[in-house]
Amino acid sequence: MPKSKRLLEMMMTVNWKRKFTVSELADEFGVSGRTILRDLQELSELGVPLYSEVGPHGGYHVLKERILPPIAFSEEEAVAIFFAIHALRHHTSLPFETVSSSALNKFYQFMPPDIRDRIDQMKRRVDFVTPKRQASSPHLSILLDAAVQQKVLLITYETRGQPSKREMQPIGIYTKNGLWYSPAYCYQNQDIRVFRCDRIHSAEHSATKPLDLRDIHLENRQIKTVEDQDTVALFAELTIVGVQACEAELWLASMLHVRQDGSGWLEGNVARSDILFFAKFLIGLGKEVNVQHSPEIVNGIKTYLAELINIYSQ
């Protein structure tokens, strides 16, 4: 086996094994132990994080931060990946801020000069604009890890200018209009709530036993949440402009239906506790929406409008 191919296969092997001995690799690749030692030295120089332990139970280990084997990309794939990462630069905070910058620089530096020239030209021709915010969200990494690992966090959260301690179990994180949000089960309210990540001033792991939320994620969280609550039915006709406004709202995805002519409708169940929230949103659509059901939501709209009229008629 050529040395280059052996090194590539060895990189994949040690990443998979995580723990191994020189004799194990020598038997697997059919070479001497001395050759394996030289190969491991070259892998280490290439960046594979290896360390060795002596003794009867010793051997080599791969650190947590593993190096992935080389992957061949086409020119178009390479450009697409570059701009996918490049688009994140507008965000003030990222859950993987340092590594994304490092990956982008590494990706760019190893491209052929003609591809780098093409990317440099495209930088001035394409962008993915996100509003820049002054607010910082420094706890995105621990929120994302808690969502993946099913962990409970004790956070300090600011509401109406007042910080308070509470426990939450994140479902995930998402960004919208330059701000980060984390839908999570709030142990204080015993319900799934959406937290503004820039209002989380501290976050640490809690000893509270987590709930089993493995089947709840960003795409189905609203459906799962509403299933267990007292609800009212919503049906509202939308103009083409109304559909376009609703398409910009991630939380409406499960309710929005679009016809071939571009018009559509909203249909689904709304938790009674969210009637005021929906009333305010639907009022914002103006003449682009016609709420036909339910009476509770229509009354919520009328009540809120009457309060506004009362404020401005004084």
Side-chain angles (χ1 to χ4, degrees):
M1 179 188 298
K3 180 181 178 180
S4 58
K5 183 178 180 181
R6 186 177 70 247
L7 285 174
L8 179 58
E9 291 190 6
M10 191 176 296
M11 182 184 292
M12 291 186 287
T13 299
V14 300
N15 270 314
W16 173 70
K17 285 180 176 290
R18 302 302 300 276
K19 183 179 179 180
F20 55 90
T21 64
V22 171
S23 60
E24 287 174 353
L25 292 184
D27 292 340
E28 186 167 342
F29 288 93
V31 296
S32 67
R34 183 173 296 178
T35 299
I36 291 296
L37 288 172
R38 286 198 299 266
D39 288 348
L40 291 176
Q41 178 63 33
E42 290 196 36
L43 289 183
S44 182
E45 292 172 356
L46 289 171
V48 178
L50 299 172
Y51 73 98
S52 61
E53 291 181 352
V54 297
H57 301 291
Y60 280 84
H61 296 255
V62 181
L63 296 174
K64 183 179 180 180
E65 294 296 329
R66 294 177 292 177
I67 299 296
L68 298 180
I71 303 174
F73 294 107
S74 69
E75 178 179 325
E76 294 302 317
E77 288 172 335
V79 172
I81 292 173
F82 178 89
F83 278 100
I85 303 175
H86 183 65
L88 299 175
R89 75 191 188 284
H90 293 299
H91 291 278
T92 305
S93 303
L94 291 171
F96 27 72
E97 191 163 356
T98 303
V99 292
S100 63
S101 177
S102 172
L104 190 63
N105 291 335
K106 188 180 297 184
F107 204 66
Y108 180 82
Q109 292 300 324
F110 280 92
M111 286 183 183
D114 60 319
I115 305 298
R116 291 205 301 266
D117 290 342
R118 181 184 174 195
I119 286 176
D120 290 340
Q121 290 298 321
M122 292 179 69
K123 281 182 182 179
R124 295 188 284 267
R125 309 291 181 179
V126 61
D127 202 356
F128 306 86
V129 177
T130 300
K132 289 191 175 182
R133 304 285 187 175
Q134 297 298 320
S136 175
S137 300
H139 305 293
L140 296 178
S141 295
I142 190 172
L143 290 168
L144 180 57
D145 178 71
V148 173
Q149 301 295 331
Q150 295 280 290
K151 296 178 181 178
V152 179
L153 298 178
L154 175 63
I155 65 171
T156 303
Y157 190 70
E158 181 181 328
T159 305
R160 298 183 180 89
Q162 297 297 321
S164 64
K165 292 282 188 179
R166 64 178 71 190
E167 289 182 315
M168 51 98 87
Q169 185 174 338
I171 294 171
I173 58 175
Y174 67 89
T175 181
K176 179 182 175 183
N177 294 329
L179 294 173
W180 284 92
Y181 300 86
S182 178
Y185 182 84
C186 177
Y187 284 78
Q188 176 178 308
N189 296 293
Q190 297 184 346
D191 190 11
I192 292 179
R193 300 293 176 92
V194 177
F195 294 85
R196 273 263 303 265
C197 295
D198 59 292
R199 294 177 180 170
I200 298 176
H201 298 313
S202 68
E204 58 187 27
H205 293 295
S206 170
T208 299
K209 184 178 180 180
L211 300 174
D212 186 0
L213 302 179
R214 287 173 295 181
D215 64 330
I216 302 180
H217 46 77
L218 294 181
E219 295 179 359
N220 70 359
R221 63 183 173 85
Q222 289 168 323
I223 299 173
K224 294 288 185 180
T225 304
V226 170
E227 283 177 353
D228 300 326
Q229 296 184 358
D230 182 19
T231 63
V232 297
L234 168 67
F235 184 88
E237 285 287 344
L238 297 167
T239 65
I240 295 175
V241 175
V243 167
Q244 293 171 348
C246 291
E247 285 177 333
E249 304 296 335
L250 179 66
W251 51 275
L252 279 177
S254 62
M255 291 186 176
L256 180 60
H257 305 270
V258 184
R259 300 185 180 93
Q260 288 187 344
D261 64 358
S263 66
W265 71 95
L266 291 173
E267 185 174 12
N269 293 321
V270 175
R272 286 187 182 275
S273 59
D274 289 335
I275 287 178
L276 179 58
F277 172 82
F278 271 82
K280 291 179 179 179
F281 173 76
L282 294 168
I283 288 172
L285 295 180
K287 296 180 180 179
E288 312 305 331
V289 63
N290 180 4
V291 181
Q292 300 179 0
H293 198 73
S294 69
E296 291 90 341
I297 294 177
V298 173
N299 288 335
I301 293 173
K302 291 179 179 179
T303 300
Y304 190 69
L305 285 174
E307 292 175 355
L308 290 177
I309 292 172
N310 183 56
I311 291 174
Y312 291 104
S313 60
Q314 296 178 359

